[in-house]
Amino acid sequence: MYAHIAFPLPINQTFTYSLPEEFHSKARLGVRVLAPFGEKRELEGVIVKLTDTPETPAHVEIKPILDCLDDEPFFSSELLQLTKWISGYYLSSHGEALKCAIPAGVNVISRRKVELLISEGQNEILTALQKKAPRQTQILKALQKYGAISVAQLKKRVGERSFYTALAQLESKGLIRISSELKKGIKPKTALAVRLAKSVAEIQEALESISPRATKQSQILKILISEYRVGNSPMIASELTKRAGTNLNTIRALGKKGLVTCESIEVIRDPLGSEKFDSSRPLTPTPEQAYALKELITAIEQNSPQVFLLHGVTGSGKTEVYMQVMVEVLKRGKRAIVLVPEIALTPQTVARFASRFLSRITVLHSQLSPGERYDQWRRVKSGEVDIVVGPRSAIFAPVENLGLIVIDEEHETTYKQDEPPPRYHAREVAIKRAELANCVVILGSATPSLESYYKATRGEYRLLNLKTRVDDIAMPPVEVIDMRVELKQKNNRSIFSERLRDAVEERLRLGQQVILFLNRRGFSTYVFCRECGHVERCEQCAISLTYHFDTKLMVCHHCNRKYPPPKECPDCFSPYIRYLGLGTQKVEMEIQKAFPAAKVARMDTDTTTRKGAHKSILEAFKDGEFDILVGTQMIAKGLDFPNVTLVGVINADIALNLPDFRSGERAFNLITQVAGRSGRSILGGDVIVQTYNPDHYSIQAAQEHDYRRFYQEEVALRKALLYPPFSHAASILLRGEDESLVIQTANLLNEQMETLKESNFPEIQIRGPAPAPLAKVRNRYRWHFLLRCADVKQLQELIKQSLKTAPPSVNRGNVDVLANIDPMSVL
């Protein structure tokens, strides 16, 4: 037998291996194997095809696999087909797509290590190489300094330029050794457990004979009796000793007396294990909800793939619709996946679903520990849970008998993955998975993406509308404040308009809560010299640095490099250094100055790095521990706080000013979504939006909660410029440490694409090459192309053919070329 193996490498092909007889019974499609790769590497891959003949040229040596890592297929037939489609559509290898579906910690890690072989005469060798091979010299010096380190670490320290070429040359000269070592992934967690060795009656009789001095032994036995730990229900030893106030020696003593037995059992690492959820019952649907439910349940009964766009204003009860449909799905013995755009939304979404479905739900996301992810993944695969909640990667959960996929806030750009490849969009992957599983997809949003709403108007998706809030609660009025007037007529240089300041003051007096939104973190967004205009920029990214007040450091928000702020200008030596621009940290400080009695919380990337931080901040705010919550886009959607009666948008123009064709859509979505956090109870609410562009159609449509108005303006603009949804787009990004080489490569690639376009793809529009809006990130220069065509297959084919004969700099690894189909941003 022969197996075709897909490896998690950027090589779009499979590799053929022979299967030793001992693996014949295990080797099936979807099973992970360990196989030799190249001269000195061993890699984990997945069997994607089995044959009786090798299907390789006769002169090619076929090596045997080393091990089968699974007793049962790791990937179902459905997930193999899904990942194969992803690799084709998003131009990645099948192995890279399969890697997306493997939870962290489950895979076998092959780590390549580099060590220096020369011990004597190192300086002489370095001197001899310095002029002839400076790159090799740099690598040897790094190994002298750091000792034996991984290839990845070495590359990070010396840079990417000609790295692998220099490494191979050093190895051929016998100056370094490259070896592989394997590290097994996460294993099931085990714990020592204790059970009664005799019947309860016999143990009670034995208690009378235990010495009065052995009180802890008696206590252990009494706890085991009281907990009815008899038969196959052992009690974890650590829990038992903690309750008895003793240690393992007491248990060992009871074991010697034959009263208890000890064994090792598996313990499931459950992120929801310590949670207590109040039970909830289905609510009586509104007429709009009832109609939506009728249509959705009919589709589920038909057992065919259908896509519904549930367009419901904020507070209209979309989640209740999801849950009531899910009841029908579970009644039919099927299961569901619920995707949310942000990890910040996961706790609240899980709480809502868990209150209805209790132990039938689990969560999968990147902030779980590897052990938690591994255990929950196994619970899903074994069928122990019926509903999986998580961000985009949860679409790969190994759910069998899938009946429903829900994508909440489907418009969110976070559903698109940019790094690492494949650069997939979870919405499109969900629709493809539903097609394979014959199930229903619900796309829910108050502000649907242009693409989804356009498809709904054309009948490709079925449109369901929820136009009113539950209990007829009115949409909050939105007041737009022209900050130009504040400055010119009122001489107000504060970040707060007079109207917003008065409104916050009133809410604090009434004991109500406020959300203030600004989609930019940090204190000051740039540091500059007032004398000469010099702006402090990151050395690696050429992007202005953001000043963080708490750490007193300037931080690059692209590579996370930190710098001390200058005391004087490095250009003109002026002491007049100023901190300008606005971030959430500064908003928090200004609030504390303006309202010293207010309790303020901030929620952004800086405050939520710790595990569980999202949940703790939101729970404290919901419980009334804070009066004002300041945050970025992670507070803009899906959150429900009845006591919030005011939402303030500090600067609505940040999204509008991005150099991207989706900027108007982003601005409308963010304002509408964050406005929807206000007035979700009988208390009512208000929204105040501060802007320097009050006449922009995105802001005017958001002011009226009028999605149709926004859609008509935006879709007309997109049609005139042939942007999505009237075409498919693709971006190609080139990046490397040598700017001239990146430009040269971009020009060569442009020549190839233009030649191919002329002969085979005349309908494709090619824009570029040009410097990317973020022209330098992490010490790598960036140039890009934007391609457009009504037929996505033509885009894919042009890119594939162009990269088959990529310029030499790409093949040598000096310039990376990243293709992105249907990008959400061109930054």
Side-chain angles (χ1 to χ4, degrees):
M1 289 177 68
Y2 297 90
H4 294 250
I5 311 296
F7 291 108
L9 300 169
I11 304 170
N12 198 20
Q13 68 176 86
T14 57
F15 296 83
T16 304
Y17 289 82
S18 64
L19 292 170
E21 193 171 342
E22 64 264 32
F23 298 130
H24 282 195
S25 60
K26 278 187 172 185
R28 281 175 279 170
L29 295 182
V31 165
R32 296 172 305 146
V33 299
L34 195 64
F37 192 86
E39 292 297 318
K40 299 177 182 178
R41 296 176 73 183
E42 296 172 356
L43 291 180
E44 177 187 316
V46 178
I47 298 177
V48 294
K49 185 179 177 183
L50 289 166
T51 60
D52 294 325
T53 54
E55 298 183 11
T56 55
H59 67 276
V60 175
E61 179 192 359
I62 299 176
K63 298 177 182 178
I65 67 165
L66 302 174
D67 197 5
C68 270
L69 302 176
D70 305 308
D71 294 323
E72 297 292 329
F74 191 91
F75 292 101
S76 65
S77 171
E78 180 187 298
L79 282 175
L80 284 176
Q81 291 179 72
L82 181 68
T83 50
K84 182 64 176 173
W85 175 84
I86 289 170
S87 69
Y89 190 92
Y90 293 104
L91 305 182
S92 74
S93 71
H94 194 184
E96 288 174 311
L98 287 163
K99 187 179 179 182
C100 282
I102 301 177
V106 177
N107 54 318
V108 173
I109 300 167
S110 176
R111 182 175 176 267
R112 288 204 298 163
K113 187 173 70 174
V114 187
E115 57 186 316
L116 198 60
L117 291 182
I118 48 174
S119 55
E120 295 180 6
Q122 289 185 5
N123 292 334
E124 290 82 355
I125 292 171
L126 287 172
T127 303
L129 278 174
Q130 184 70 53
K131 289 184 179 180
K132 292 189 296 183
R135 193 73 173 122
Q136 294 176 38
T137 308
Q138 188 183 7
I139 290 172
L140 291 177
K141 284 181 177 178
L143 290 172
Q144 273 186 327
K145 182 177 180 181
Y146 299 110
I149 58 175
S150 71
V151 170
Q153 289 173 323
L154 182 60
K155 180 180 169 185
K156 191 175 180 181
R157 284 178 166 83
V158 302
E160 294 184 353
R161 183 174 51 82
S162 306
F163 173 74
Y164 290 108
T165 304
L167 208 62
Q169 289 167 344
L170 286 170
E171 187 180 28
S172 67
K173 292 173 182 175
L175 300 178
I176 62 170
R177 179 193 294 132
I178 304 174
S179 57
S180 290
E181 56 184 14
L182 293 177
K183 182 182 176 185
K184 292 286 184 181
I186 299 295
K187 295 180 180 178
K189 181 181 179 181
T190 58
L192 186 68
V194 185
R195 72 169 87 236
L196 294 174
K198 299 180 179 181
S199 69
V200 172
E202 290 174 302
I203 295 297
Q204 286 173 332
E205 186 178 331
L207 271 169
E208 297 175 6
S209 62
I210 290 178
S211 167
R213 290 180 297 175
T215 56
K216 296 300 181 185
Q217 291 184 27
S218 299
Q219 202 168 346
I220 290 284
L221 294 174
K222 287 175 182 177
I223 291 170
L224 288 171
I225 292 170
S226 69
E227 293 288 334
Y228 300 101
R229 302 284 176 176
V230 185
N232 293 319
S233 301
M235 189 171 182
I236 302 298
S238 59
E239 178 190 338
L240 184 57
T241 55
K242 185 177 180 182
R243 285 180 59 178
T246 185
N247 54 43
L248 285 176
N249 289 332
T250 307
I251 292 173
R252 292 191 187 103
L254 288 169
K256 288 177 181 177
K257 293 177 180 179
L259 299 176
V260 300
T261 59
C262 296
E263 60 188 285
S264 179
I265 64 168
E266 183 180 346
V267 179
I268 296 295
R269 291 159 284 205
D270 186 357
L272 305 179
S274 60
E275 299 283 338
K276 296 287 185 282
F277 299 107
D278 297 328
S279 179
S280 73
R281 296 189 175 195
L283 304 176
T284 303
T286 65
E288 289 177 335
Q289 288 175 324
Y291 176 78
L293 285 166
K294 178 175 171 289
E295 293 294 305
L296 289 163
I297 292 168
T298 300
I300 285 165
E301 288 170 346
Q302 292 170 351
N303 199 36
S304 62
Q306 298 182 53
V307 182
F308 289 83
L309 177 59
L310 184 61
H311 179 204
V313 299
T314 55
S316 59
K318 294 185 289 295
T319 303
E320 185 64 27
V321 172
Y322 304 154
M323 290 193 289
Q324 293 199 25
V325 171
M326 213 160 285
V327 169
E328 298 298 321
V329 169
L330 299 186
K331 277 182 187 176
R332 291 163 174 76
K334 296 197 171 185
R335 301 160 76 196
I337 294 173
V338 181
L339 299 187
V340 293
E342 300 266 4
I343 293 174
L345 294 182
T346 307
Q348 194 158 351
T349 305
V350 167
R352 288 175 184 171
F353 279 87
S355 69
R356 194 72 55 88
F357 301 104
L358 301 175
S359 60
R360 303 179 76 172
I361 186 170
T362 193
V363 60
L364 290 173
H365 59 71
S366 61
Q367 285 203 349
L368 301 181
S369 70
E372 287 172 333
R373 266 184 279 180
Y374 174 53
D375 285 355
Q376 296 314 302
W377 182 89
R378 287 191 302 142
R379 289 183 70 211
V380 174
K381 190 168 178 63
S382 67
E384 286 182 44
V385 292
D386 298 310
I387 302 165
V388 178
V389 178
R392 63 174 179 257
S393 59
I395 193 58
F396 299 109
V399 177
E400 299 287 346
N401 206 16
L402 191 58
L404 177 68
I405 301 174
V406 173
I407 306 183
D408 196 26
E409 312 291 359
E410 68 86 28
H411 64 277
E412 280 294 333
T413 57
T414 49
Y415 283 124
K416 173 75 171 175
Q417 171 154 307
D418 289 320
E419 291 289 351
R423 297 171 180 87
Y424 69 91
H425 196 299
R427 180 183 61 223
E428 307 310 315
V429 173
I431 291 169
K432 183 63 182 181
R433 184 165 186 183
E435 181 187 312
L436 295 170
N438 286 320
C439 79
V440 168
V441 176
I442 304 176
L443 309 176
S445 178
T447 56
S449 65
L450 259 286
E451 289 87 342
S452 293
Y453 200 83
Y454 179 73
K455 287 181 178 180
T457 62
R458 290 166 56 89
E460 294 179 51
Y461 300 164
R462 295 178 62 185
L463 181 62
L464 301 172
N465 287 301
L466 303 178
K467 297 178 181 178
T468 56
R469 283 182 159 186
V470 174
D471 297 329
D472 290 324
I473 293 172
M475 295 296 291
V478 178
E479 187 176 350
V480 175
I481 304 297
D482 188 342
M483 294 302 282
R484 298 171 302 181
V485 173
E486 288 286 313
L487 180 63
K488 290 179 181 176
Q489 296 181 12
K490 301 180 182 180
N491 197 30
N492 179 10
R493 298 178 183 275
S494 165
I495 65 171
F496 304 120
S497 61
E498 289 182 2
R499 176 72 183 93
L500 181 57
R501 185 186 293 269
D502 292 344
V504 172
E505 205 165 73
E506 182 186 3
R507 281 357 186 251
L508 294 176
R509 182 175 55 80
L510 293 172
Q512 296 168 0
Q513 290 176 298
V514 177
I515 287 178
L516 296 178
F517 169 77
L518 179 70
N519 204 25
R520 185 168 285 167
R521 61 193 173 106
F523 184 81
S524 297
T525 52
Y526 65 102
V527 180
F528 93 120
C529 170
R530 203 175 68 181
E531 289 281 322
C532 71
H534 167 81
V535 175
E536 284 291 293
R537 298 181 184 276
C538 175
E539 294 171 5
Q540 294 192 75
C541 303
I543 292 164
S544 60
L545 296 164
T546 299
Y547 179 68
H548 286 247
F549 187 82
D550 54 351
T551 59
K552 302 292 188 294
L553 290 171
M554 301 183 300
V555 180
C556 174
H557 285 171
H558 293 278
C559 71
N560 204 36
R561 194 168 179 181
K562 298 173 177 63
Y563 301 81
K567 293 180 180 177
E568 60 181 29
C569 175
D571 279 2
C572 71
F573 308 107
S574 164
Y576 299 112
I577 301 296
R578 292 293 179 265
Y579 300 85
L580 297 182
L582 187 62
T584 47
Q585 212 175 74
K586 189 168 185 178
V587 174
E588 180 186 23
M589 186 170 289
E590 291 295 322
I591 291 168
Q592 289 167 341
K593 285 181 187 175
F595 310 103
K599 291 170 286 185
V600 186
R602 175 164 54 90
M603 191 166 178
D604 55 27
T605 309
D606 297 319
T607 63
T608 54
T609 52
R610 182 177 49 84
K611 183 180 177 181
H614 295 93
K615 184 180 175 185
S616 62
I617 293 171
L618 293 176
E619 282 188 349
F621 186 62
K622 187 173 185 179
D623 293 341
E625 294 178 29
F626 298 105
D627 305 306
I628 301 173
L629 178 62
V630 179
T632 55
Q633 64 178 8
M634 59 177 65
I635 66 165
K637 56 256 179 188
L639 304 176
D640 190 351
F641 300 112
N643 199 38
V644 171
T645 59
L646 175 66
V647 166
V649 178
I650 301 298
N651 184 349
D653 306 326
I654 291 174
L656 279 178
N657 295 326
L658 292 173
D660 191 46
F661 71 89
R662 296 186 196 273
S663 60
E665 183 179 7
R666 284 204 180 102
F668 174 81
N669 289 350
L670 281 170
I671 296 169
T672 303
Q673 292 286 338
V674 77
R677 303 314 108 209
S678 179
R680 296 174 74 94
S681 69
I682 56 172
L683 293 173
D686 293 293
V687 180
I688 296 174
V689 176
Q690 299 182 160
T691 177
Y692 290 90
N693 294 282
D695 298 326
H696 194 282
Y697 65 89
S698 295
I699 290 174
Q700 291 189 345
Q703 183 177 15
E704 301 300 323
H705 302 284
D706 191 344
Y707 178 83
R708 286 288 300 174
R709 176 183 173 182
F710 162 74
Y711 173 79
Q712 286 164 357
E713 292 263 12
E714 183 73 13
V715 85
L717 188 63
R718 298 272 187 97
K719 187 174 184 179
L721 298 172
L722 281 180
Y723 277 122
F726 298 97
S727 69
H728 281 274
S731 67
I732 300 176
L733 178 70
L734 293 87
R735 64 187 185 194
E737 293 180 352
D738 185 332
E739 184 178 18
S740 61
L741 192 58
V742 170
I743 296 170
Q744 179 189 351
T745 305
N747 288 327
L748 287 171
L749 186 60
N750 185 46
E751 288 174 15
Q752 288 177 229
M753 289 197 297
E754 288 289 355
T755 302
L756 285 166
K757 166 184 156 63
E758 210 170 296
S759 56
N760 299 319
F761 308 104
E763 296 174 19
I764 294 178
Q765 294 181 4
I766 301 174
R767 299 288 181 265
L774 298 178
K776 185 183 179 187
V777 175
R778 296 182 186 271
N779 224 26
R780 288 185 285 185
Y781 295 92
R782 296 153 50 96
W783 278 59
H784 72 153
F785 296 85
L786 182 64
L787 286 65
R788 284 178 290 174
C789 186
D791 184 357
V792 70
K793 290 181 180 177
Q794 288 195 38
L795 284 178
Q796 293 161 339
E797 194 57 36
L798 172 67
I799 293 170
K800 280 193 285 188
Q801 289 188 29
S802 299
L803 296 184
K804 269 183 187 175
T805 54
S809 56
V810 175
N811 297 326
R812 288 197 297 266
N814 296 326
V815 177
D816 294 332
V817 179
L818 313 177
N820 194 346
I821 302 295
D822 299 331
M824 297 305 294
S825 170
V826 294
L827 297 179

